[in-house]
Amino acid sequence: MYTLTIRGHDLSGVTDFHDLGQKAAAAGIHNLQLALNMSFSQMSEASQLNPGLGRHVTQALAASNVQVGILSCYVQMMHPDLAEREKAIAKFEAYLQHARYFGAAMVASETGSLSVAGYTEDNFTDDAFSQLAAVIKRLVACGERHNTLVAIEAGLNHPLYSLDRIEQLLQEVASEHLQIILDPTNLITTANYQTQVDLVAEAFARFGEQICAFHLKDFIVADNQIVPVNLGAGVMEYQKILDLIRHYKPYCYVVLEETKDGFIKDAVNLIEAGL
């Protein structure tokens, strides 16, 4: 099996944490990837985190039998402005310090980019990777102090853009506290999307022991682009990927990313029908 999860901000019109729990449970989901800055931005800054806030969140969600599986801190940890980069890293460290109060064993983020304007080939250089490795080493050292996993997600326009780079990072930062959230849709193109299942199988073979969660993001190919859609509306071979997850990582968090609102229940039904 696997532990179906949704991002809190894929539920619309949420008013408070009680409401978030109720809406998730109504969709058949009892585990969240919670990004405070996306769902409750008014209480998401590093200076606002505290044990009482974490306890309030856990109690409010528990009323609906919902919990935080993954605490997200999506920051631009590769920001080209080093002062802004430092702010991002310090924020992530604060989330690592407080994650346990929210009931989460990990804090998640993508790496961000060396450009704030969009695509840049600068992300694909050895220098960019070296800068990233230095950032991740610092975050992992903080994670080790607080016994919290650092969960990093790769993406095509980031310094962590391929299975090769992921494996290189895991070798460079040799720590059990560094883990990978694998989103196969983030690593495919219109040229290779038909090998998506092979990509997941290869990831398991190369560094499966350090995969801590998955994003299941269905997609279509339109105008020579990969376009996310609700699960079941695209060409993702999600049942085959789920079969691999069940085999290699039983009860792993599987996040229905970009499947929103009423479509979440539909996705749960689709997955359960395929068991």
Side-chain angles (χ1 to χ4, degrees), residues 27-96:
I29 295 291
H30 296 279
N31 299 276
L32 295 177
Q33 179 170 344
L34 178 64
L36 288 172
N37 66 314
M38 300 295 289
S39 297
F40 303 98
S41 59
Q42 73 277 16
M43 57 183 80
S44 65
E45 293 304 315
S47 61
Q48 295 176 302
L49 298 182
N50 66 87
L53 173 60
R55 182 172 176 80
H56 172 73
V57 172
T58 57
Q59 289 182 325
L61 296 176
S64 299
N65 192 28
V66 174
Q67 64 181 359
V68 177
I70 304 169
L71 186 63
S72 283
C73 181
Y74 282 102
V75 293
Q76 174 58 300
M77 63 178 70
M78 294 297 293
H79 200 292
D81 183 324
L82 295 185
E84 292 299 317
R85 184 183 298 186
E86 175 59 31
K87 290 179 185 178
I89 295 169
K91 183 175 184 178
F92 198 104
E93 288 175 325
Y95 273 67
L96 288 168

Side-chain angles (χ1 to χ4, degrees), residues 96-272:
L96 288 168
Q97 177 185 349
H98 289 88
R100 63 186 182 274
Y101 304 119
F102 293 82
M106 66 188 79
V107 179
S109 181
E110 296 178 336
T111 67
S113 170
L114 285 171
S115 170
V116 296
Y119 178 85
T120 175
E121 293 189 359
D122 291 344
N123 286 329
F124 311 139
T125 65
D126 289 339
D127 178 64
F129 178 81
S130 295
Q131 292 183 54
L132 173 63
V135 171
I136 298 300
K137 284 179 181 178
R138 174 175 161 182
L139 293 178
V140 167
C142 181
E144 289 173 341
R145 290 195 300 273
H146 298 291
N147 197 25
T148 302
L149 301 177
V150 176
I152 299 299
E153 182 181 350
L156 283 179
N157 186 34
H158 298 164
L160 199 66
Y161 58 85
S162 67
L163 298 187
D164 287 343
R165 281 301 200 199
I166 293 173
E167 188 170 35
Q168 185 180 359
L169 182 67
L170 293 171
Q171 292 171 348
E172 182 84 11
V173 186
S175 171
E176 295 176 351
H177 281 75
L178 175 57
Q179 299 281 304
I180 299 299
I181 294 180
L182 187 65
D183 184 338
T185 306
N186 273 10
L187 296 174
I188 60 171
T189 67
T190 56
N192 68 3
Y193 72 92
Q194 292 174 320
T195 62
Q196 57 189 276
V197 179
D198 293 336
L199 183 148
V200 175
E202 183 181 350
F204 273 125
R206 295 175 69 170
F207 47 80
E209 68 280 359
Q210 285 180 267
I211 295 175
C212 63
F214 282 81
H215 282 175
L216 208 60
K217 184 165 59 188
D218 206 347
F219 62 92
I220 59 173
V221 179
D223 298 325
N224 203 34
Q225 292 184 332
I226 300 293
V227 180
V229 295
N230 292 303
L231 191 78
V235 297
M236 184 181 213
E237 297 182 70
Y238 60 89
Q239 289 292 5
K240 292 182 179 179
I241 291 172
L242 287 169
D243 286 343
L244 287 170
I245 296 170
R246 276 200 299 270
H247 176 72
Y248 286 103
K249 287 282 180 176
Y251 294 97
C252 188
Y253 290 118
V254 175
V255 185
L256 303 178
E257 181 175 351
E258 295 290 353
T259 297
K260 300 180 183 296
D261 296 321
F263 293 101
I264 294 170
K265 185 62 175 177
D266 295 338
V268 172
N269 292 336
L270 275 175
I271 290 171
E272 290 180 346

